[in-house]
Amino acid sequence: MKIDKALEAIEALGDNHVATSATTPLRADAFALTDQEKIASIKEDVKHIMETLGLDLTDDSLRGTPQRVAKMFVNEIFSGLHPGRKPDASTFANNYKYGEMLVEKNITVYSTCEHHLLPIVGRAHVAYISNGTVVGLSKMNRIVDYYAKRPQVQERLTMQIVQDLQVVLNTKDVACVIDAKHLCVNSRGIRDIESSTVTSEFGGRFKEESVRREFLDYIKLDTTF
């Protein structure tokens, strides 16, 4: 009975997309295997899943799928798990004394829901106010992509982006808003294809109503070329 209750609680967490940790849950031995060793192991696991489903892996169309999926997991969609792939966010002195808000909006987010391993697709809007240091624009996109490339919940992803940039820029004045569709909601379960999820994290001066409103007004701007 206790086991059944525990399993029900675990299922409820996943079905309701509830996070249990503000950091990505990783085992102490997460990087004991090399990437190639992980690919070889995952390949066999994917092969077992497909064979269990009754698929014929001798078919030319399916023969290479276990290897392709394993490589995709390690090298692409979950590549952000490895700290060695964290982007080097070089900073520069704010010599031109730009003192207003800097906003990088409509950053593409491709992530994966950690509850069903289905895609999360959307846009991130990131802003900061310089405390004497600036970061290259592309590095903001790379930081978003790095934390997106792991099993995620959107709330955690939003927080991780802000927390990382706060360290890089040595300021609390960082904000992030993410608007994304979750295929675990859109393509299964309730199957609501219209809904999206919006999360936000505001640090430092962005907690002030006027500063937060300015940021939100900027991300509404229609940028077309």
Side-chain angles (χ1 to χ4, degrees):
M1 181 65 69
K2 288 184 178 179
I3 294 176
D4 289 343
K5 289 291 185 183
L7 290 175
E8 286 177 11
I10 291 171
E11 282 298 309
L13 280 173
D15 284 338
N16 289 286
H17 312 286
V18 177
T20 58
S21 172
T23 58
T24 303
L26 286 170
R27 297 200 321 268
D29 64 347
F31 309 110
L33 298 178
T34 66
D35 283 354
Q36 289 306 312
E37 289 171 331
K38 289 181 178 181
I39 290 170
S41 178
I42 293 170
K43 173 185 175 181
E44 293 305 310
D45 293 333
V46 175
K47 179 180 177 183
H48 176 67
I49 290 170
M50 295 180 70
E51 288 176 337
T52 301
L53 290 171
L55 294 167
D56 180 6
L57 296 189
T58 65
D59 186 274
D60 287 344
S61 181
L62 299 178
R63 192 191 310 272
T65 298
Q67 175 74 6
R68 285 190 292 269
V69 171
K71 288 173 63 178
M72 176 185 69
F73 275 15
V74 174
N75 296 332
E76 296 180 72
I77 66 173
F78 298 140
S79 61
L81 288 170
H82 201 297
R85 294 191 177 94
K86 187 174 181 179
D88 180 17
S90 300
T91 57
F92 308 91
N94 184 12
N95 292 326
Y96 38 87
K97 306 302 180 185
Y98 180 75
E100 300 299 321
M101 187 184 305
L102 186 146
V103 181
E104 184 81 356
K105 66 189 186 79
N106 293 328
I107 300 172
T108 300
V109 172
Y110 281 112
S111 192
T112 304
C113 167
E114 68 181 36
H115 300 117
H116 296 93
L117 298 186
L118 286 171
I120 300 171
V121 183
R123 301 283 185 181
H125 314 284
V126 182
Y128 71 91
I129 301 171
S130 175
N131 188 30
T133 300
V134 296
V135 68
L137 293 180
S138 66
K139 293 301 188 290
M140 297 169 73
N141 300 62
R142 293 182 190 281
I143 286 172
V144 171
D145 190 60
Y146 171 69
Y147 286 106
K149 291 296 186 288
R150 55 180 68 182
Q152 275 289 16
V153 291
Q154 190 171 321
E155 299 94 324
R156 181 197 298 139
L157 173 60
T158 311
M159 294 168 63
Q160 288 176 330
I161 292 166
V162 169
Q163 291 166 1
D164 194 298
L165 280 168
Q166 286 175 328
V167 172
V168 168
L169 291 162
N170 190 31
T171 179
K172 292 294 184 183
D173 301 335
V174 179
C176 178
V177 170
I178 297 177
D179 183 3
K181 284 184 173 288
H182 294 237
L183 265 69
C184 49
V185 174
N186 302 147
S187 68
R188 59 158 300 282
I190 191 64
R191 294 190 301 277
D192 182 350
I193 64 172
E194 296 299 330
S195 66
S196 68
T197 301
V198 179
T199 50
S200 63
E201 179 76 3
F202 301 110
R205 290 167 59 188
F206 284 94
K207 292 184 181 295
E208 300 172 13
E209 174 63 29
S210 60
V211 178
R212 182 166 63 248
R213 174 51 52 195
E214 180 183 352
F215 169 48
L216 296 175
D217 285 344
Y218 280 140
I219 66 179
K220 293 178 185 175
L221 293 175
D222 183 18
T223 307
T224 56
F225 297 98

